Amino acid sequence: MSERSRVNNSGPLKKPAERGYPASSGSVWSSNAPSERGDIPSSSEGEIVSEAARQKKSHPVQKAVYDISTGISKLNIQKTLRIPNRPDQGGTLGKKVKVTSNCWDLTFHHKTAYLYFVEANSVHRLEAKEGSKTEIRMPPKELRSLIQQVADSLPDTIIYDGGHAIYSEDPLPGVTTDPVERQIEIKEPFGRDRLLLKYRIMEVQKVSSSDISHFITNPKATSMNMPQECIRLLDCILKTVSKQSFVSLGRSALFQQTPIKVVMDKLFTIHKGFISSVRPQWKVRVNLDMTCKAYFVSGNLADVMYSKYGDDMVRCSTQMAYDLRKIRVETDKFYKSDDGRAYSRRFTVHGISSLPADRLMIEELNQSVAEYFKQHHHITLKYPELPCVKVDQKREVYMPMELLNILPYQAPNASKADIASEVIRCAAIRPQERFRELENFANNMLKSHPLIKQFGLAIQPRPVEVNARVIQPPTAGFGRSGVQQLTAGSWSTPGFLHPAGEGVEIMWAVLSIPPNQRSHGHVQKVISELPRAASRFGVRFSPRPIVAQCPRGELNRRFEEFSRQGCGFLLLILYDEHFYSSIKRLSDLQMGIRTQCVRARTLDKPNVFRK
C-alpha cells in the first residue's frame, strides 16, 4: 500500500464543537524514544504500528461535549427566580470600607483572531535509507506534547494554549474549516534521530476581543452569557507574553525556575508561581494570585542521593529504591548514533541494585557493569562502589548511578502530609508581602513581546480598590447555651467549646450512614479500638455505645434521639459523602453534639487508631 493511500484511508478529522473543544496541556517527552541498536537492552523500543492500530489511535472515540452555561441560558426561568444583572447596585447593610483586591485593570485593542484546532496523528523515525521511515508508538499525552513544535514553526504572533488550540490574527495559509493533513520534521530531544510529525489542523471559529467589552457595557448581561472564548483568548495571550522568565507547567500557573526551598531529607523542592485569569467585572480586569508547588529534586542522581544519605548510601539501596520509585532519569550523552552523533536516553527507575557497579555482573557477557561501560563506552566510573539503577521493569538492566540525571519538575514521592506542611509554610506570607510580589509580577509581565503591541495590552500599575461593606457578625445557636453573638475574626466561641469528659464516662454512639452490609465489621472495629485509643488521652468512653444505621431521610430524627439519650459523642461511618454537610450543620450549629466522620475505606486500613 502506498504512503498516499495510507494517509487517505485514515479518514477525515471530525470537526470539534465550537465550544467545549478538547484541549489539554503539553507534557515532557518521555520514555518511548527509540533505543540504541546493539546496546544494553531497554524497554523503550520504537514499534511499527499496524494500519488498524494507527487508525484507532488517530480516531479516538468522540465524546459529546456539553456547555452547561449555554444549556442553562436556554432554560425557561420562572418569575420566582431572578438572576441579577451585572453590575448590581450593591447592598446597604454594614459599614462602608475600601478594599484593595488582587485585580488589575486591563486594556486591549479590539481584534479578531482565528481559532484553530490541532491534532497530532503520528510520529515517524526517518531512516538513513532515502524515503524509509518507521512509525513510533507513543502514549497520547506524549504525542500531544509534540504540538508545541508545530506552534513553534508558525509565526511569532500566534498564541498557543498548550493543548490543541492555536489562535492567530492572520489566517494561516491553506487552512480552512475542513481538516488539512500536514507534516513537519521535528527535533528529537535526545539528538539522535530525525523525526517526522504528521498532524491535522482546521479552523474552528473566529474570536473577537470586543465581545468582552460588549458584555461589560450591556446592562442586562448576566454570568449566564459570559464570552468564554474571548476570555480564553485573553488568558492565553497573557500567559504567552509573561512566561519568558518562568516555566510553564500545564495551562494555568507560571513557576520560577529557582526553588524557594529545598527539602533534601524528603527529596523535594518548592517553587513559587503566579496564576493570571481575565475577569469581566465592572471593567475588564486580570486577577493575579500566587501559588506554591512541590517537585522532586532534580540533578545528578548520585549527587542527590549523597546529599541525603552521605557515605551511608552504599548500604541504603532499599531506602533509595523507595525514594526513587517511578522517577524519570536521563543519561549523559555517551551513546553514539550510526553517523557518530552523541545522544542521551531516558529511563524510569524500577529499583536499586544491592551490589555496586564493580561487582554487579552482566551474566550474558560475564563482566561487571563497570567493566562494560569502560569497554563499550570508554567511560571509567568515578564511583564504582555505588549501586546501580534498574531501568527496565521486566529485565535485569542496570545503569551506573553517576551517569543518570533526575529530570526536573516531577511529582515528589514524599508523603502528602510532609509536602502540604512545607508548602503551607512557604505560601503563608503576610498580605502586604503578597501584594508586593503580585504588583512586581503585574508590572513586569508585559515587558517585551510582539503580542503586547499587536493587541495593545496594558495593565495598570496599581491594584483595584473597590467599595465594600463589613457585615455585622451573625449569631449562632449551639444547642447547649442558646443563641450567642459571634466575634468577628475569632475561632474561639465559649458556647461552642466544652471540656471532653474530664474523667467522666462519655455516652456515645456509632452510626452507619447510609446502611451498608459491611458496617458490622467496621462497627466492631470502632467499638474495640476507639475506647482504648481515647484512654491514652484521659477520655473515657462507655464500653457499650449505641449502634444504629441511618437510612436516607432519617438523619434529623436520629440526632434528636441521640440528644435525648444523652449522647456526648457520635462517630459516623460514611459509605458515601453526600451527608457530610448536613451532619455538621446538625451537630455543630443545632444539636451541640460532638461528631467525627470517618470514611468506611479508612477503617479498612490497619492501625487506624494508633498514633
Side-chain angles (χ1 to χ4, degrees):
M1 181 181 291
S2 67
E3 186 64 31
R4 177 179 296 275
S5 64
R6 288 179 61 192
V7 172
N8 291 339
N9 286 340
S10 62
L13 175 68
K14 294 183 179 180
K15 182 177 180 179
E18 289 193 354
R19 290 187 181 273
Y21 57 87
S24 54
S25 60
S27 63
V28 179
W29 183 291
S30 187
S31 63
N32 285 350
S35 61
E36 185 186 27
R37 305 166 184 85
D39 211 328
I40 294 181
S42 167
S43 61
S44 57
E45 295 289 340
E47 300 181 35
I48 299 177
V49 184
S50 67
E51 175 67 10
R54 191 182 67 79
Q55 289 189 2
K56 182 177 180 181
K57 181 175 64 173
S58 300
H59 292 76
V61 177
Q62 298 291 326
K63 296 183 179 180
V65 179
Y66 183 72
D67 191 323
I68 189 169
S69 62
T70 303
I72 292 176
S73 66
K74 296 177 181 178
L75 292 177
N76 182 19
I77 300 177
Q78 302 297 323
K79 291 184 178 180
T80 55
L81 174 62
R82 178 183 176 274
I83 299 175
N85 297 331
R86 28 168 336 279
D88 59 21
Q89 300 302 313
T92 58
L93 297 177
K95 178 184 177 182
K96 287 185 177 181
V97 293
K98 287 280 188 180
V99 175
T100 302
S101 67
N102 58 329
C103 293
W104 279 254
D105 284 334
L106 173 69
T107 57
F108 51 89
H109 293 162
H110 288 178
K111 296 274 189 177
T112 298
Y114 293 85
L115 170 59
Y116 296 93
F117 180 84
V118 186
E119 179 184 36
N121 288 341
S122 60
V123 62
H124 299 257
R125 181 194 304 121
L126 299 177
E127 306 291 353
K129 183 180 178 181
E130 187 67 26
S132 177
K133 55 187 176 183
T134 304
E135 184 171 353
I136 303 171
R137 183 184 293 275
M138 283 187 178
K141 185 177 180 180
E142 295 178 15
L143 185 63
R144 185 172 61 247
S145 70
L146 300 180
I147 297 176
Q148 179 65 59
Q149 298 202 43
V150 176
D152 293 340
S153 69
L154 298 174
D156 293 340
T157 53
I158 66 102
I159 305 111
Y160 176 49
D161 78 334
H164 289 282
I166 290 178
Y167 299 88
S168 175
E169 184 180 0
D170 299 319
L172 298 180
V175 182
T176 65
T177 54
D178 295 322
V180 179
E181 295 270 359
R182 290 191 173 177
Q183 60 185 29
I184 181 177
E185 190 168 329
I186 62 175
K187 298 177 182 178
E188 202 264 355
F190 312 119
R192 173 188 174 182
D193 294 311
R194 294 169 55 218
L195 300 181
L196 185 70
L197 173 67
K198 292 185 177 182
Y199 66 95
R200 296 175 183 176
I201 184 170
M202 63 180 293
E203 178 189 330
V204 177
Q205 67 181 91
K206 293 181 181 179
V207 181
S208 175
S209 60
S210 63
D211 290 348
I212 198 168
S213 299
H214 296 155
F215 174 78
I216 294 295
T217 56
N218 181 4
K220 296 185 178 181
T222 71
S223 56
M224 294 293 186
N225 46 27
M226 276 192 182
Q228 294 294 346
E229 290 299 342
C230 178
I231 294 173
R232 288 193 189 104
L233 170 62
L234 293 175
D235 280 337
C236 288
I237 294 174
L238 287 177
K239 185 175 180 181
T240 300
V241 302
S242 59
K243 70 180 181 181
Q244 299 173 77
S245 57
F246 294 86
V247 178
S248 177
L249 303 173
R251 302 178 62 200
S252 55
L254 298 171
F255 289 93
Q256 295 177 346
Q257 297 185 30
T258 304
I260 58 176
K261 187 171 186 178
V262 179
V263 187
M264 187 55 69
D265 61 325
K266 303 295 183 182
L267 295 178
F268 65 85
T269 59
I270 299 175
H271 293 251
K272 181 170 62 179
F274 296 89
I275 302 173
S276 65
S277 59
V278 173
R279 305 285 178 88
Q281 299 169 342
W282 296 268
K283 296 181 179 179
V284 182
R285 289 170 176 146
V286 56
N287 174 255
L288 301 179
D289 208 347
M290 291 173 56
T291 184
C292 290
K293 191 169 183 179
Y295 296 98
F296 199 92
V297 173
S298 61
N300 180 268
L301 181 56
D303 292 341
V304 170
M305 290 295 99
Y306 184 82
S307 298
K308 177 175 181 178
Y309 292 101
D311 294 333
D312 291 334
M313 64 182 294
V314 295
R315 295 184 293 273
C316 298
S317 58
T318 302
Q319 296 94 316
M320 288 191 292
Y322 182 78
D323 288 339
L324 296 169
R325 61 194 184 279
K326 303 299 182 182
I327 290 298
R328 298 285 293 159
V329 293
E330 182 175 352
T331 68
D332 294 336
K333 289 190 175 182
F334 56 78
Y335 291 102
K336 298 292 183 181
S337 62
D338 295 338
D339 58 2
R341 289 181 291 116
Y343 68 94
S344 61
R345 292 173 62 190
R346 290 181 180 177
F347 300 97
T348 300
V349 176
H350 293 290
I352 302 293
S353 67
S354 58
L355 296 175
D358 57 0
R359 292 170 51 200
L360 182 63
M361 301 300 293
I362 304 173
E363 294 182 0
E364 309 92 86
L365 304 177
N366 194 29
Q367 63 180 168
S368 69
V369 172
E371 292 170 344
Y372 174 88
F373 275 85
K374 184 175 183 179
Q375 178 180 340
H376 289 265
H377 296 289
H378 309 291
I379 297 175
T380 301
L381 298 182
K382 296 180 181 179
Y383 308 106
E385 70 278 6
L386 294 182
C388 294
V389 178
K390 188 174 186 289
V391 294
D392 192 293
Q393 188 172 12
K394 297 180 180 179
R395 296 177 294 172
E396 298 299 310
V397 181
Y398 291 88
M399 294 286 293
M401 188 177 290
E402 65 186 76
L403 301 181
L404 297 174
N405 299 288
I406 302 172
L407 294 174
Y409 309 116
Q410 299 185 72
N413 283 334
S415 71
K416 292 182 179 179
D418 290 335
I419 295 171
S421 176
E422 295 294 343
V423 167
I424 289 172
R425 288 191 181 97
C426 293
I429 61 176
R430 295 182 180 277
Q432 296 86 345
E433 183 179 348
R434 179 179 295 272
F435 268 91
R436 280 196 298 270
E437 294 266 12
L438 293 177
E439 285 188 42
N440 184 58
F441 178 73
N443 294 330
N444 288 282
M445 65 187 302
L446 301 183
K447 285 298 184 182
S448 59
H449 195 283
L451 291 174
I452 298 174
K453 183 177 180 181
Q454 180 182 348
F455 283 85
L457 297 175
I459 294 179
Q460 294 300 311
R462 297 288 300 169
V464 174
E465 286 192 348
V466 296
N467 295 321
R469 290 179 178 270
V470 178
I471 306 298
Q472 179 71 17
T475 58
F478 297 103
R480 293 183 296 269
S481 54
V483 176
Q484 292 194 17
Q485 180 70 49
L486 301 183
T487 305
S490 175
W491 288 93
S492 178
T493 302
F496 183 67
L497 303 175
H498 188 72
E502 297 182 334
V504 178
E505 188 174 87
I506 298 175
M507 175 65 72
W508 62 299
V510 182
L511 183 63
S512 302
I513 178 170
N516 189 282
Q517 60 183 1
R518 296 183 296 147
S519 64
H520 179 73
H522 292 150
V523 169
Q524 292 303 314
K525 185 174 186 177
V526 169
I527 295 175
S528 172
E529 298 188 26
L530 180 59
R532 186 164 54 248
S535 65
R536 298 199 301 266
F537 301 92
V539 178
R540 290 176 53 201
F541 280 119
S542 168
R544 291 180 295 277
I546 302 170
V547 176
Q549 299 198 43
C550 181
R552 300 178 187 274
E554 294 190 10
L555 193 61
N556 289 51
R557 184 178 65 82
R558 290 289 188 182
F559 266 77
E560 290 173 358
E561 290 179 359
F562 292 142
S563 179
R564 287 195 301 268
Q565 293 171 348
C567 283
F569 174 75
L570 297 181
L571 188 138
L572 299 105
I573 305 175
L574 304 184
Y575 292 91
D576 66 38
E577 300 180 5
H578 301 301
F579 294 91
Y580 183 79
S581 58
S582 299
I583 290 169
K584 289 304 178 182
R585 279 194 297 269
L586 281 170
S587 63
D588 294 351
L589 300 179
Q590 297 181 28
M591 308 300 297
I593 301 177
R594 297 182 184 86
T595 57
Q596 177 63 54
C597 296
V598 182
R599 293 187 180 96
R601 63 176 179 268
T602 302
L603 295 175
D604 293 329
K605 299 177 182 179
N607 305 324
V608 172
F609 294 96
R610 295 185 183 179
K611 290 181 66 176

